[in-house]
Amino acid sequence: PPKEGETPQFEIDVRVSRTGEKRRIAGHEAAQVITRVLMYPKGSSVQQSGGLTLVNDQWLAPDVPFLDEVRGLRKLGGS
């Protein structure tokens, strides 16, 4: 544990895996990708100190023409 007044330090492990699964979603061929993010105190393991695990399951497709319009609107809106 950090000493009083010290900022805690963390290790972050990010893993991105393509599952090989494919689906047609909204008329577009999409591939499944799973991202795992593991954060735990520096100098120890998750088993020793615990940590935070985030799992994001996504279906990604090549560029979808309508999304160009969404990106343009975001630029106009500043987000």
Side-chain angles (χ1 to χ4, degrees), residues 39-60:
M39 185 174 79
Y40 53 93
K42 197 170 198 163
S44 66
S45 69
V46 173
Q47 293 79 9
Q48 293 171 325
S49 302
L52 172 71
T53 301
L54 303 171
V55 179
N56 185 5
D57 182 347
Q58 303 173 75
W59 289 90
L60 303 178

Side-chain angles (χ1 to χ4, degrees), residues 11-16 34-40 51-56:
E11 299 281 350
I12 299 175
D13 181 19
V14 179
R15 295 181 185 167
V16 179
I34 297 177
T35 303
R36 290 180 178 87
V37 179
L38 180 62
M39 185 174 79
Y40 53 93
L52 172 71
T53 301
L54 303 171
V55 179
N56 185 5

Side-chain angles (χ1 to χ4, degrees), residues 8 19-21 59:
T19 66
E21 295 290 320
W59 289 90

